[in-house]
C-alpha cells in the first residue's frame, strides 16, 4: 500500500517552497473559484492568494467574468429568469447552477452588482385613519446566489418609507462596496413647484435609512428614466434631456457635463458606463447601426471606439428589422453591450468585436424587459483562519 504521508519529490518541494515560483503558479489558475480552492491548501497559500498586490495582478490577467444575465419581465412570467452565457468552462459549472436563486421574499429585480442581485418589494399602509394618510414602504433585498452558505444567501435592508402622494420623476438604487461592508444610496427626483433631489443613505450596521441630502436645481429638468445613472467613486452620473448631471456625494454639489456634438439622450440610444479606475464615465451611443463609445475624463470627450454592427456580424442582421435597434444594458468598464433588435436580444463583446443573439421572445411576450448581467464576484471571499464555510 502506498504511504499517503510520504513527502513529495525533491523537485516538487523545490518549486513549492519557493514563494516567487508558487505565486507565479497560483496567479495562472484562471478563475476566482480556483483561487479560493488554492487558498484552502494551507495558511501559506492563503496568505499569497489574499495579498492585495497579488489580487491586483490576478484581476489584470483574469478580468471579472460575465456568467450570464437575468431577464426581468412583468408579463407573462412576472419573474426574473437566468440565462448563462455559453460556452462556460467546466470549472464554473457549480457556480452557474447556483444562479437560479430562490426569491423567498418576492419582489421585483432592480439590479445586479458584483455577483449580488437586488430586488424591491412595495408595502402599502395607512398612517392615520382620521386624516386618511397613506404611505408606502420600499423594502430592498440583497441576494447572494453565488455563496455556498445559505445563511449569507439573502439580506433584507431596512424599509424606506414615503407618504403618499409622492411623485418621483426619477428614482434609482445605487450600491457601493466599502471595506467589509456596503453603502446604499436611493436617489429620487421630485417635481413639485420645482425639481428637487433627495438622497437617502444606508450603511453597513445602520438600522434605518437617513436622508443624506436634499438639493433643488434647474439642472434637474426632465431627468430621463432611461438610461440609468451610474455611481463612480463618490459621484452619481445621470441623464437629463440635454446634459449629464453629476452629483458629488462628498461635497453635495451638482454640476453638468455637456454631451458630445451630435449625441442626444433619445430613448434606448444612449447609456452610461463606469470607468475602471473611477476617473470618469463612458457614454455609449447607437445611431444607424453605428455604435460610438465616448470617454469623459477631465473636461473633454474623447471618441475611443466606433463599431459598425452590420460589419461585425452581417448575417445576423440580414432578416431582422434594424431601424428600432436599442441599447438595453451596458456592462461596467465598457466591456459589453446588450441590444434589443425586433424581438431579439443581442450580446456585443466590445473588445472582441463579436455580436450574437442570446434570446428570442416567444409569441406570448409583449416586450423584452430589462436585462441584468451577473458578473463573477470580485474579490473572492476567502476562508478565515478558523474552519468556516465560504463563498464559491
Amino acid at each position: 500500500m502506498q504511504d499517503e504521508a510520504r513527502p513529495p519529490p525533491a523537485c516538487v518541494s523545490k518549486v513549492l517552497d519557493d514563494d516567487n515560483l508558487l505565486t507565479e503558479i497560483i496567479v495562472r489558475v484562471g478563475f476566482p473559484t480556483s483561487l479560493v480552492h488554492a487558498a484552502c491548501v494551507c495558511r501559506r497559500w492563503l496568505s499569497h492568494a489574499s495579498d492585495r498586490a497579488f489580487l491586483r495582478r490576478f484581476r489584470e490577467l483574469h478580468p471579472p467574468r460575465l456568467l450570464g444575465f437575468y431577464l426581468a419581465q412583468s408579463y407573462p412570467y412576472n419573474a426574473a429568469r437566468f440565462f448563462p452565457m455559453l460556452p462556460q468552462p467546466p470549472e464554473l459549472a457549480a457556480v452557474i447552477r447556483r444562479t437560479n436563486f430562490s426569491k423567498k421574499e418576492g419582489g421585483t429585480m432592480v439590479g445586479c452588482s458584483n455577483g449580488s442581485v437586488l430586488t424591491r418589494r412595495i408595502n402599502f399602509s395607512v398612517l392615520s385613519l382620521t386624516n386618511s394618510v397613506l404611505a408606502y414602504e420600499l423594502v430592498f433585498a440583497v441576494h447572494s446566489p453565488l455563496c455556498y452558505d445559505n445563511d449569507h444567501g439573502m439580506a433584507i435592508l431596512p424599509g424606506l418609507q414615503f407618504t403618499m402622494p409622492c411623485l418621483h420623476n426619477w428614482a434609482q438604487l445605487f450600491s457601493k462596496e466599502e471595506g467589509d461592508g456596503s453603502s446604499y444610496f436611493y436617489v429620487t427626483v421630485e417635481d413639485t413647484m420645482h425639481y428637487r433631489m433627495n438622497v437617502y443613505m444606508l450603511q453597513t450596521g445602520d438600522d434605518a435609512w437617513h436622508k443624506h441630502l436634499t438639493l433643488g436645481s434647474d439642472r434637474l429638468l426632465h431627468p430621463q428614466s432611461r438610461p440609468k445613472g451610474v455611481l463612480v467613486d463618490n459621484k452619481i452620473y445621470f441623464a437629463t434631456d440635454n446634459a449629464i448631471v453629476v452629483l458629488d456625494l462628498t461635497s453635495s454639489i451638482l454640476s453638468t457635463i455637456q454631451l458630445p456634438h451630435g449625441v442626444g439622450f433619445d430613448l434606448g440610444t444612449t447609456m452610461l458606463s463606469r470607468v475602471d479606475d473611477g476617473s470618469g464615465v463612458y457614454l455609449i451611443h447607437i445611431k444607424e447601426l453605428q455604435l460610438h463609445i465616448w470617454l469623459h475624463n477631465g473636461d473633454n470627450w474623447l471618441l475611443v471606439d466606433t463599431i459598425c454592427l452590420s460589419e461585425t456580424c452581417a448575417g445576423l442582421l440580414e432578416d431582422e428589422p434594424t431601424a428600432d435597434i436599442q441599447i438595453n444594458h451596458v456592462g461596467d468598464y465598457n466591456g459589453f453591450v446588450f441590444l434589443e433588435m425586433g424581438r431579439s436580444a443581442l450580446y456585443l463583446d466590445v473588445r472582441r468585436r463579436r455580436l450574437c443573439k442570446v434570446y428570442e421572445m416567444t409569441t406570448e411576450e409583449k416586450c423584452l424587459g430589462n436585462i441584468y448581467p451577473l458578473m463573477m464576484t470580485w474579490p473572492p471571499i476567502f476562508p478565515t483562519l478558523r474552519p468556516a464555510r465560504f463563498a464559491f
Side-chain angles (χ1 to χ4, degrees), residues 111-150:
C112 288
S113 177
N114 195 24
S116 297
V117 178
L118 305 175
T119 61
R120 182 195 64 201
R121 188 179 73 250
I122 303 178
N123 296 330
F124 293 93
S125 61
V126 179
L127 295 181
S128 172
L129 295 176
T130 303
N131 299 322
S132 299
V133 177
L134 301 178
Y136 68 92
E137 180 185 52
L138 299 180
V139 180
F140 296 99
V142 183
H143 306 260
S144 302
L146 304 184
C147 283
Y148 274 135
D149 195 335
N150 291 329

Short mmCIF file of all heavy atoms in Angstrom, two decimals, residues 111-150:
data_model
loop_
_atom_site.label_atom_id
_atom_site.label_comp_id
_atom_site.label_asym_id
_atom_site.label_seq_id
_atom_site.Cartn_x
_atom_site.Cartn_y
_atom_site.Cartn_z
N GLY A 111 -31.63 45.23 -10.09
CA GLY A 111 -30.23 45.35 -10.47
C GLY A 111 -29.37 44.19 -10.03
O GLY A 111 -29.78 43.36 -9.22
N CYS A 112 -28.16 44.13 -10.59
CA CYS A 112 -27.13 43.18 -10.20
C CYS A 112 -25.85 43.96 -9.96
O CYS A 112 -25.55 44.91 -10.70
CB CYS A 112 -26.88 42.13 -11.28
SG CYS A 112 -28.20 40.90 -11.47
N SER A 113 -25.11 43.55 -8.94
CA SER A 113 -23.86 44.24 -8.62
C SER A 113 -22.87 43.26 -8.03
O SER A 113 -23.10 42.72 -6.94
CB SER A 113 -24.12 45.40 -7.64
OG SER A 113 -22.93 46.04 -7.27
N ASN A 114 -21.79 42.99 -8.76
CA ASN A 114 -20.68 42.19 -8.26
C ASN A 114 -21.14 40.86 -7.67
O ASN A 114 -20.81 40.51 -6.54
CB ASN A 114 -19.89 42.98 -7.22
CG ASN A 114 -18.54 42.35 -6.92
OD1 ASN A 114 -17.97 41.63 -7.74
ND2 ASN A 114 -18.01 42.62 -5.73
N GLY A 115 -21.91 40.11 -8.44
CA GLY A 115 -22.35 38.80 -8.00
C GLY A 115 -23.58 38.80 -7.13
O GLY A 115 -24.08 37.73 -6.76
N SER A 116 -24.09 39.97 -6.76
CA SER A 116 -25.30 40.07 -5.95
C SER A 116 -26.47 40.55 -6.80
O SER A 116 -26.29 41.25 -7.79
CB SER A 116 -25.09 41.05 -4.78
OG SER A 116 -24.09 40.58 -3.90
N VAL A 117 -27.68 40.16 -6.37
CA VAL A 117 -28.90 40.54 -7.07
C VAL A 117 -29.74 41.39 -6.13
O VAL A 117 -29.93 41.03 -4.96
CB VAL A 117 -29.70 39.30 -7.51
CG1 VAL A 117 -31.00 39.71 -8.18
CG2 VAL A 117 -28.87 38.45 -8.46
N LEU A 118 -30.23 42.52 -6.61
CA LEU A 118 -31.04 43.44 -5.81
C LEU A 118 -32.49 43.33 -6.24
O LEU A 118 -32.81 43.41 -7.43
CB LEU A 118 -30.55 44.88 -5.99
CG LEU A 118 -29.06 45.14 -5.68
CD1 LEU A 118 -28.70 46.58 -6.02
CD2 LEU A 118 -28.76 44.86 -4.23
N THR A 119 -33.38 43.14 -5.27
CA THR A 119 -34.82 43.11 -5.54
C THR A 119 -35.52 44.14 -4.66
O THR A 119 -34.99 44.57 -3.63
CB THR A 119 -35.43 41.73 -5.29
OG1 THR A 119 -35.24 41.36 -3.91
CG2 THR A 119 -34.79 40.69 -6.19
N ARG A 120 -36.74 44.50 -5.06
CA ARG A 120 -37.50 45.52 -4.33
C ARG A 120 -38.95 45.05 -4.17
O ARG A 120 -39.55 44.49 -5.09
CB ARG A 120 -37.49 46.83 -5.11
CG ARG A 120 -38.23 47.99 -4.41
CD ARG A 120 -38.48 49.11 -5.40
NE ARG A 120 -39.36 48.68 -6.47
CZ ARG A 120 -39.44 49.28 -7.65
NH1 ARG A 120 -38.65 50.31 -7.91
NH2 ARG A 120 -40.25 48.84 -8.59
N ARG A 121 -39.47 45.28 -2.96
CA ARG A 121 -40.87 44.99 -2.68
C ARG A 121 -41.53 46.25 -2.13
O ARG A 121 -40.90 47.02 -1.40
CB ARG A 121 -40.99 43.86 -1.65
CG ARG A 121 -42.41 43.37 -1.43
CD ARG A 121 -42.46 42.23 -0.41
NE ARG A 121 -42.24 42.71 0.95
CZ ARG A 121 -41.17 42.47 1.66
NH1 ARG A 121 -40.16 41.77 1.14
NH2 ARG A 121 -41.05 42.93 2.91
N ILE A 122 -42.80 46.50 -2.46
CA ILE A 122 -43.52 47.68 -2.01
C ILE A 122 -44.63 47.26 -1.05
O ILE A 122 -45.47 46.42 -1.40
CB ILE A 122 -44.12 48.47 -3.19
CG1 ILE A 122 -43.02 48.87 -4.18
CG2 ILE A 122 -44.85 49.71 -2.69
CD1 ILE A 122 -43.54 49.60 -5.40
N ASN A 123 -44.62 47.81 0.16
CA ASN A 123 -45.67 47.57 1.15
C ASN A 123 -46.47 48.85 1.35
O ASN A 123 -45.89 49.92 1.59
CB ASN A 123 -45.06 47.14 2.49
CG ASN A 123 -44.32 45.82 2.39
OD1 ASN A 123 -44.67 44.97 1.58
ND2 ASN A 123 -43.29 45.65 3.22
N PHE A 124 -47.80 48.75 1.25
CA PHE A 124 -48.67 49.91 1.46
C PHE A 124 -49.26 49.85 2.87
O PHE A 124 -49.53 48.78 3.41
CB PHE A 124 -49.78 49.95 0.43
CG PHE A 124 -49.30 50.20 -0.97
CD1 PHE A 124 -49.00 49.15 -1.82
CD2 PHE A 124 -49.11 51.50 -1.44
CE1 PHE A 124 -48.54 49.36 -3.11
CE2 PHE A 124 -48.65 51.72 -2.72
CZ PHE A 124 -48.37 50.67 -3.56
N SER A 125 -49.48 51.02 3.46
CA SER A 125 -50.02 51.07 4.81
C SER A 125 -50.81 52.36 5.00
O SER A 125 -50.74 53.29 4.18
CB SER A 125 -48.90 50.99 5.85
OG SER A 125 -48.02 52.09 5.70
N VAL A 126 -51.57 52.43 6.10
CA VAL A 126 -52.34 53.62 6.47
C VAL A 126 -51.74 54.18 7.75
O VAL A 126 -51.71 53.52 8.79
CB VAL A 126 -53.83 53.30 6.69
CG1 VAL A 126 -54.58 54.56 7.11
CG2 VAL A 126 -54.43 52.70 5.42
N LEU A 127 -51.21 55.41 7.69
CA LEU A 127 -50.59 56.02 8.85
C LEU A 127 -51.61 56.66 9.79
O LEU A 127 -51.42 56.70 11.00
CB LEU A 127 -49.57 57.08 8.41
CG LEU A 127 -48.35 56.56 7.64
CD1 LEU A 127 -47.42 57.72 7.31
CD2 LEU A 127 -47.59 55.51 8.44
N SER A 128 -52.70 57.18 9.22
CA SER A 128 -53.71 57.85 10.04
C SER A 128 -55.09 57.57 9.46
O SER A 128 -55.38 57.95 8.32
CB SER A 128 -53.45 59.36 10.08
OG SER A 128 -54.51 60.03 10.71
N LEU A 129 -55.94 56.90 10.25
CA LEU A 129 -57.30 56.64 9.80
C LEU A 129 -58.13 57.92 9.78
O LEU A 129 -59.02 58.09 8.95
CB LEU A 129 -57.96 55.60 10.72
CG LEU A 129 -57.34 54.19 10.70
CD1 LEU A 129 -58.02 53.32 11.73
CD2 LEU A 129 -57.47 53.58 9.30
N THR A 130 -57.83 58.84 10.71
CA THR A 130 -58.60 60.09 10.80
C THR A 130 -58.39 60.96 9.58
O THR A 130 -59.34 61.46 8.96
CB THR A 130 -58.20 60.87 12.06
OG1 THR A 130 -58.40 60.05 13.20
CG2 THR A 130 -59.05 62.14 12.19
N ASN A 131 -57.13 61.14 9.22
CA ASN A 131 -56.81 62.03 8.08
C ASN A 131 -56.59 61.27 6.78
O ASN A 131 -56.21 61.87 5.77
CB ASN A 131 -55.56 62.84 8.41
CG ASN A 131 -55.75 63.72 9.63
OD1 ASN A 131 -56.82 64.29 9.83
ND2 ASN A 131 -54.71 63.82 10.45
N SER A 132 -56.79 59.96 6.84
CA SER A 132 -56.61 59.11 5.64
C SER A 132 -55.23 59.31 5.01
O SER A 132 -55.09 59.50 3.80
CB SER A 132 -57.71 59.41 4.60
OG SER A 132 -58.98 59.14 5.13
N VAL A 133 -54.22 59.29 5.86
CA VAL A 133 -52.85 59.45 5.38
C VAL A 133 -52.32 58.07 4.96
O VAL A 133 -52.24 57.15 5.78
CB VAL A 133 -51.94 60.07 6.45
CG1 VAL A 133 -50.50 60.15 5.94
CG2 VAL A 133 -52.46 61.44 6.85
N LEU A 134 -52.00 57.93 3.70
CA LEU A 134 -51.49 56.68 3.17
C LEU A 134 -49.98 56.77 3.03
O LEU A 134 -49.40 57.86 2.87
CB LEU A 134 -52.13 56.37 1.81
CG LEU A 134 -53.66 56.25 1.79
CD1 LEU A 134 -54.14 56.00 0.37
CD2 LEU A 134 -54.12 55.14 2.71
N ALA A 135 -49.33 55.62 3.10
CA ALA A 135 -47.88 55.57 2.96
C ALA A 135 -47.49 54.28 2.28
O ALA A 135 -48.29 53.34 2.18
CB ALA A 135 -47.19 55.68 4.33
N TYR A 136 -46.28 54.26 1.77
CA TYR A 136 -45.74 53.00 1.25
C TYR A 136 -44.30 52.87 1.68
O TYR A 136 -43.62 53.87 1.97
CB TYR A 136 -45.89 52.91 -0.27
CG TYR A 136 -45.05 53.88 -1.07
CD1 TYR A 136 -43.78 53.53 -1.51
CD2 TYR A 136 -45.54 55.14 -1.40
CE1 TYR A 136 -43.01 54.40 -2.25
CE2 TYR A 136 -44.78 56.02 -2.14
CZ TYR A 136 -43.52 55.66 -2.57
OH TYR A 136 -42.76 56.52 -3.31
N GLU A 137 -43.85 51.64 1.76
CA GLU A 137 -42.51 51.32 2.21
C GLU A 137 -41.80 50.52 1.13
O GLU A 137 -42.35 49.54 0.62
CB GLU A 137 -42.58 50.53 3.51
CG GLU A 137 -41.22 50.14 4.07
CD GLU A 137 -41.34 49.25 5.30
OE1 GLU A 137 -42.07 48.24 5.22
OE2 GLU A 137 -40.72 49.57 6.32
N LEU A 138 -40.60 50.94 0.80
CA LEU A 138 -39.76 50.19 -0.13
C LEU A 138 -38.83 49.29 0.67
O LEU A 138 -38.11 49.76 1.55
CB LEU A 138 -38.93 51.13 -1.01
CG LEU A 138 -39.70 52.11 -1.91
CD1 LEU A 138 -38.72 52.95 -2.71
CD2 LEU A 138 -40.65 51.37 -2.84
N VAL A 139 -38.88 48.00 0.39
CA VAL A 139 -38.02 47.04 1.08
C VAL A 139 -37.11 46.39 0.04
O VAL A 139 -37.59 45.71 -0.88
CB VAL A 139 -38.83 45.96 1.82
CG1 VAL A 139 -37.90 44.98 2.52
CG2 VAL A 139 -39.76 46.62 2.83
N PHE A 140 -35.81 46.64 0.17
CA PHE A 140 -34.84 46.07 -0.76
C PHE A 140 -34.18 44.84 -0.14
O PHE A 140 -33.93 44.81 1.06
CB PHE A 140 -33.76 47.11 -1.11
CG PHE A 140 -34.28 48.31 -1.84
CD1 PHE A 140 -34.54 49.48 -1.15
CD2 PHE A 140 -34.51 48.27 -3.20
CE1 PHE A 140 -35.02 50.61 -1.80
CE2 PHE A 140 -34.99 49.38 -3.87
CZ PHE A 140 -35.24 50.55 -3.17
N ALA A 141 -33.93 43.85 -0.98
CA ALA A 141 -33.25 42.63 -0.55
C ALA A 141 -32.01 42.43 -1.40
O ALA A 141 -32.03 42.69 -2.62
CB ALA A 141 -34.16 41.42 -0.64
N VAL A 142 -30.93 41.98 -0.77
CA VAL A 142 -29.68 41.70 -1.47
C VAL A 142 -29.48 40.19 -1.45
O VAL A 142 -29.26 39.59 -0.40
CB VAL A 142 -28.48 42.40 -0.80
CG1 VAL A 142 -27.21 42.14 -1.60
CG2 VAL A 142 -28.74 43.90 -0.67
N HIS A 143 -29.58 39.56 -2.63
CA HIS A 143 -29.42 38.12 -2.76
C HIS A 143 -27.99 37.81 -3.20
O HIS A 143 -27.42 38.53 -4.03
CB HIS A 143 -30.40 37.55 -3.80
CG HIS A 143 -31.83 37.91 -3.53
ND1 HIS A 143 -32.72 37.05 -2.93
CD2 HIS A 143 -32.52 39.04 -3.78
CE1 HIS A 143 -33.90 37.63 -2.83
NE2 HIS A 143 -33.80 38.84 -3.34
N SER A 144 -27.42 36.76 -2.64
CA SER A 144 -26.06 36.33 -3.00
C SER A 144 -26.11 34.90 -3.52
O SER A 144 -25.77 33.95 -2.80
CB SER A 144 -25.13 36.45 -1.78
OG SER A 144 -25.10 37.77 -1.29
N PRO A 145 -26.55 34.71 -4.75
CA PRO A 145 -26.74 33.34 -5.26
C PRO A 145 -25.45 32.56 -5.43
O PRO A 145 -25.49 31.34 -5.52
CB PRO A 145 -27.43 33.57 -6.62
CG PRO A 145 -27.03 34.95 -7.02
CD PRO A 145 -26.93 35.73 -5.74
N LEU A 146 -24.30 33.23 -5.47
CA LEU A 146 -23.03 32.53 -5.68
C LEU A 146 -22.41 32.01 -4.40
O LEU A 146 -21.36 31.38 -4.45
CB LEU A 146 -22.04 33.45 -6.41
CG LEU A 146 -22.52 34.04 -7.73
CD1 LEU A 146 -21.41 34.84 -8.39
CD2 LEU A 146 -23.03 32.97 -8.67
N CYS A 147 -23.03 32.27 -3.26
CA CYS A 147 -22.49 31.82 -1.99
C CYS A 147 -22.93 30.39 -1.69
O CYS A 147 -24.08 30.01 -1.92
CB CYS A 147 -22.94 32.73 -0.85
SG CYS A 147 -22.05 34.29 -0.77
N TYR A 148 -22.01 29.61 -1.14
CA TYR A 148 -22.35 28.28 -0.63
C TYR A 148 -23.26 28.40 0.59
O TYR A 148 -24.17 27.63 0.80
CB TYR A 148 -21.08 27.52 -0.22
CG TYR A 148 -20.41 26.77 -1.33
CD1 TYR A 148 -19.03 26.83 -1.49
CD2 TYR A 148 -21.14 26.00 -2.21
CE1 TYR A 148 -18.39 26.13 -2.49
CE2 TYR A 148 -20.51 25.30 -3.23
CZ TYR A 148 -19.14 25.37 -3.36
OH TYR A 148 -18.53 24.66 -4.36
N ASP A 149 -22.96 29.37 1.43
CA ASP A 149 -23.57 29.45 2.74
C ASP A 149 -24.98 30.03 2.63
O ASP A 149 -25.16 31.19 2.28
CB ASP A 149 -22.72 30.34 3.64
CG ASP A 149 -23.08 30.18 5.10
OD1 ASP A 149 -24.22 29.79 5.38
OD2 ASP A 149 -22.20 30.42 5.95
N ASN A 150 -25.99 29.23 2.94
CA ASN A 150 -27.36 29.70 2.86
C ASN A 150 -27.63 30.84 3.84
O ASN A 150 -28.53 31.65 3.65
CB ASN A 150 -28.33 28.55 3.13
CG ASN A 150 -28.32 27.53 1.99
OD1 ASN A 150 -28.09 27.91 0.85
ND2 ASN A 150 -28.55 26.27 2.31
#
